Amino acid sequence: MSVPHLWQRLRNEAVTTSRIHRPLLLVGCTLLIALPFLVGLGFGPAWVRVLDFVLLYILLALGLNIVVGFAGLLDLGYVAFFGVGAYVYALLASPHLTSHFPAIAALFPAGLHGPLWLLLPLGALVAGVFGILLGAPTLRLRGDYLAIVTLGFGEIIRIFLNNLYQPVNITNGAQGITQIDGLRVGPLALDRGLDLFGLRFSSLHLHYYLFLALAMLVVFISLRLQDSRIGRAWVAIREDEIAAKACGINTRNVKLAAFAMGASFGGIAGGLFAGFQEFVSPESFQLIDSIMILCMVVLGGMGHVPGVILGAVLLTVLPELFRFGAGPAQQWLFGRVVVEPEALRMLLFGLTLVVVMLLRPAGLWPEPRHRRELAQ
Amino acid sequence: MAALLEALNLEVRYGGIVAVRGCSFAVEEGEAVCLIGANGAGKTSTLKALARLLPSGGEIVYAGTPLGNLPAHDLIARGLALVPEGRGIFARLSVAENLVMGAYHRHDDEIGADADRLYTLLPRLAERRNQLAGTLSGGEQQMLAIARALMSRPRLLLLDEPSMGLAPVMVDRIFELLRSVRTQGVTLLLVEQNARLALEVCPRGYVMESGRITLSGLSAELRDDPRVRAAYLGG
């Protein structure tokens, strides 16, 4: 039997996956399609917006999961790749470059309006290159040391975005880039909404479907990568780098592939974010955002795709719940708002994380084998 | 006939510290050779240099090709496998997955059959094939590390202190395994502190002291050498 077959068989034996029934899958898909309408009806459009962000964060968390979960490389600067993807989209789909560089304006008299099918892959590519730029000098580092360097890298990117407005204005500094084209799929401008079969699909709904499609694609790629030859190599370097080398794994290439692949997922999410918000500024790409994405991966269950998705959902929805719920809850309990909901939000959020990590150290939904290991 | 592995004036430095100073030795095809010596003699550094895990001076020739600039991960496809110091098993993978990982570079269809052969040889591993490798005892982990290296169908097996930290019963089992590996025609280069057992399994040996090879010869001679007796065999 050849290696891929053997590996597949071993995984199936080790991970007792419950077979997904076809009818269940159908119900799940219908639910995913109907979800924005249900949420919109039940909780209002603000929550449909939260739903859109949940999907963006799923993209980000799955990207970071490749680096941290699969390959075991602790990356604290991941949001930089999100930023790179966002700025690639922002620069190539806004009047910023044409208004500051006459040469570019002459080249594109109608203005720069890159199409989505070009800008998303380009953002992924550029972010991937940045991933390799970060990976190459850190090949010999592991654990805490790697975390510190990646943290520095993330800050460098943010500071560059903040300051690249002089002598030539590339990023427009802290003011950010405005008037970015909204996302368009073919002739359909997502920010205008759509009336179809007597149903009103708002801009938030349409973004939801685009993000959902891409999130599904990234889930699919993640699952395929996990069982691939390179997926096995990632597991090996995560467990023991010297033994991995002794097994014939080119650890340098395999690590760079992890950085590049993870970064490109972040780049795609960044492009979507820029087109969705129609505005980007360096403020959106701070250390706290990197930490948040890392928390999603760790809280959900490192290396386990369904767990990471759960982590992304929880850590996007929970803070919003606190934001909406903390004020009224205090009003009801004490008759007045004692602590600002905004201040309380991070406190409760941190507390939740601590409790979860104490009770479920491998994450909420770890890979079955990890759960087994901790139990033994 | 040229030796399968030959080191000429091998030198390993850590910054200013010289760990291995100009060692020369050779291993013929089909032989089992041990490299014995006290802690810090430079045995592990020598082995790491041979496995290209450390940069080294001098020359290493394996099967007629100089290993000089080859990366570590290229060696296994050439039949040179390493059982690293401290075992280096993949703790959060099952025993079976560890074995498959040992055949990472192979693309043939006989990997499953090879694993089954190893299970017959090592029933303890067969019993635990679906268990996570990290939950095995030290001796079982060492067996697994050797079995994983054998999955690459090596011509030359480099072993770094396979008896380290194991109970005496387990040490005997490991050396039993090495004997049977030898009978399959695999060439062995064994680095060991346990000189008595190493000299029993390997017909020929080298003694290392502070980075130099100070003695070499047939194991029977080494065993009778008063210096070896005093230093490594307890008088």
Side-chain angles (χ1 to χ4, degrees):
Chain A
M1 217 182 269
S2 64
V3 171
H5 289 112
L6 269 174
W7 189 258
Q8 190 66 49
R9 205 186 65 195
L10 292 174
R11 276 191 62 82
N12 290 345
E13 279 169 14
V15 186
T16 46
T17 41
S18 51
R19 289 223 163 275
I20 298 167
H21 294 293
R22 198 159 286 178
L24 209 67
L25 200 69
L26 208 69
V27 171
C29 283
T30 320
L31 203 68
L32 278 180
I33 290 171
L35 196 60
F37 287 99
L38 298 176
V39 167
L41 281 174
F43 306 97
W47 281 94
V48 183
R49 199 180 159 74
V50 172
L51 217 51
D52 290 352
F53 272 101
V54 165
L55 289 169
L56 277 182
Y57 275 111
I58 287 177
L59 280 172
L60 284 170
L62 284 175
L64 184 62
N65 182 48
I66 289 181
V67 185
V68 178
F70 290 174
L73 303 162
L74 187 48
D75 185 349
L76 277 182
Y78 185 69
V79 82
F81 306 122
F82 183 47
V84 167
Y87 269 84
V88 165
Y89 186 95
L91 289 175
L92 297 180
S94 75
H96 176 76
L97 283 184
T98 44
S99 62
H100 286 87
F101 297 92
I104 295 176
L107 268 174
F108 299 92
L112 265 171
H113 302 287
L116 187 67
W117 61 263
L118 180 70
L119 291 190
L120 276 196
L122 186 70
L125 187 76
V126 175
V129 169
F130 272 85
I132 291 174
L133 279 182
L134 163 69
T138 59
L139 283 172
R140 284 156 189 272
L141 305 179
R142 282 195 79 81
D144 331 5
Y145 302 100
L146 179 62
I148 290 168
V149 176
T150 52
L151 188 154
F153 176 83
E155 285 301 282
I156 289 170
I157 297 288
R158 187 180 61 81
I159 291 167
F160 261 103
L161 294 178
N162 227 336
N163 293 291
L164 275 182
Y165 62 93
Q166 55 177 13
V168 282
N169 189 346
I170 298 173
T171 65
N172 209 26
Q175 279 141 36
I177 294 173
T178 51
Q179 293 174 271
I180 300 171
D181 296 346
L183 297 170
R184 279 175 149 274
V185 179
L188 180 65
L190 300 191
D191 53 358
R192 300 239 175 86
L194 178 71
D195 289 298
L196 204 63
F197 315 123
L199 259 176
R200 172 74 194 156
F201 290 86
S202 75
S203 148
L204 292 172
H205 288 104
L206 293 179
H207 282 100
Y208 171 86
Y209 293 120
L210 175 66
F211 294 177
L212 181 67
L214 283 162
M216 299 274 234
L217 179 72
V218 165
V219 168
F220 177 73
I221 294 174
S222 282
L223 291 173
R224 296 293 301 179
L225 276 175
Q226 200 172 12
D227 283 329
S228 69
R229 190 172 159 78
I230 198 163
R232 276 183 289 131
W234 284 335
V235 172
I237 60 167
R238 183 184 75 196
E239 298 295 315
D240 190 311
E241 212 174 316
I242 288 185
K245 271 186 193 163
C247 285
I249 292 165
N250 184 336
T251 52
R252 181 196 59 195
N253 289 1
V254 159
K255 276 188 186 182
L256 289 181
F259 276 119
M261 209 92 74
S264 58
F265 285 10
I268 291 176
L272 294 176
F273 175 75
F276 179 45
Q277 299 277 67
E278 301 180 9
F279 167 72
V280 293
S281 78
E283 214 171 280
S284 304
F285 313 108
Q286 299 191 22
L287 178 60
I288 184 75
D289 301 294
S290 284
I291 292 173
M292 196 62 123
I293 303 163
L294 185 66
C295 282
M296 293 171 181
V297 175
V298 175
L299 181 92
M302 269 196 265
H304 191 219
V305 171
V308 171
I309 295 172
L310 176 71
V313 172
L314 283 182
L315 288 197
T316 318
V317 172
L318 276 183
E320 295 302 321
L321 272 182
F322 286 140
R323 193 210 302 274
F324 286 107
Q330 289 185 54
Q331 198 70 261
W332 180 74
L333 273 174
F334 312 112
R336 66 194 173 90
V337 175
V338 184
V339 189
E340 274 298 304
E342 197 61 24
L344 201 60
R345 192 162 72 104
M346 281 322 258
L347 183 73
L348 284 176
F349 185 57
L351 204 65
T352 317
L353 278 181
V354 171
V355 170
V356 167
M357 283 294 123
L358 280 176
L359 297 179
R360 294 193 68 95
L364 287 172
W365 191 0
E367 226 181 315
R369 65 178 71 205
H370 291 195
R371 201 154 56 214
R372 202 171 53 194
E373 171 196 34
L374 282 163
Q376 271 162 358
Chain B
M1 195 190 96
L4 178 60
L5 177 78
E6 198 169 3
L8 280 172
N9 283 319
L10 193 70
E11 200 167 274
V12 178
R13 292 162 182 277
Y14 298 97
I17 302 160
V18 188
V20 179
R21 11 182 130 230
C23 286
S24 299
F25 53 89
V27 183
E28 304 281 342
E29 180 104 55
E31 243 194 332
V33 175
C34 63
L35 195 59
I36 56 177
N39 232 343
K43 304 184 302 290
T44 293
S45 300
T46 305
L47 208 63
K48 280 192 167 160
L50 293 177
R52 306 312 304 144
L53 292 170
L54 282 178
S56 62
E59 214 181 324
I60 305 166
V61 181
Y62 168 76
T65 38
L67 293 188
N69 295 317
L70 282 183
H73 58 84
D74 266 4
L75 299 178
I76 198 155
R78 292 164 187 263
L80 203 161
L82 167 77
V83 179
E85 187 184 22
R87 310 189 268 270
I89 48 134
F90 302 120
R92 288 187 296 174
L93 295 185
S94 71
V95 168
E97 286 169 326
N98 267 272
L99 289 187
V100 173
M101 207 64 98
Y104 183 82
H105 71 287
R106 285 172 59 179
H107 297 280
D108 56 283
D109 287 340
E110 285 168 39
I111 293 164
D114 278 10
D116 288 339
R117 257 196 293 283
L118 284 167
Y119 286 138
T120 328
L121 187 68
L122 300 163
R124 285 178 91 100
L125 291 188
E127 283 164 33
R128 293 161 171 73
R129 68 173 83 185
N130 291 324
Q131 204 170 313
L132 294 186
T135 64
L136 301 182
S137 76
E140 289 161 354
Q141 290 188 7
Q142 187 63 61
M143 275 182 192
L144 177 59
I146 295 170
R148 186 182 63 194
L150 290 176
M151 284 297 289
S152 69
R153 293 194 169 175
R155 199 168 159 192
L156 170 63
L157 194 57
L158 307 176
L159 295 123
D160 198 350
E161 304 246 10
S163 77
M164 192 163 63
L166 298 185
V169 187
M170 261 347 262
V171 173
D172 289 340
R173 289 242 172 89
I174 295 292
F175 277 86
E176 226 169 83
L177 171 62
L178 291 183
R179 272 191 207 100
S180 74
V181 169
R182 252 209 87 189
T183 58
Q184 291 164 26
V186 180
T187 310
L188 294 183
L189 176 59
L190 171 65
V191 157
E192 247 317 326
Q193 275 196 65
N194 189 331
R196 188 180 56 79
L197 274 172
L199 291 173
E200 247 176 70
V201 172
C202 305
R204 205 161 68 78
Y206 293 90
V207 179
M208 259 189 111
E209 269 171 82
S210 26
R212 286 199 177 83
I213 289 177
T214 50
L215 277 173
S216 69
L218 296 177
S219 295
E221 299 163 14
L222 289 177
R223 258 197 301 266
D224 292 336
D225 192 292
R227 286 168 292 178
V228 176
R229 292 184 78 91
Y232 306 109
L233 300 174

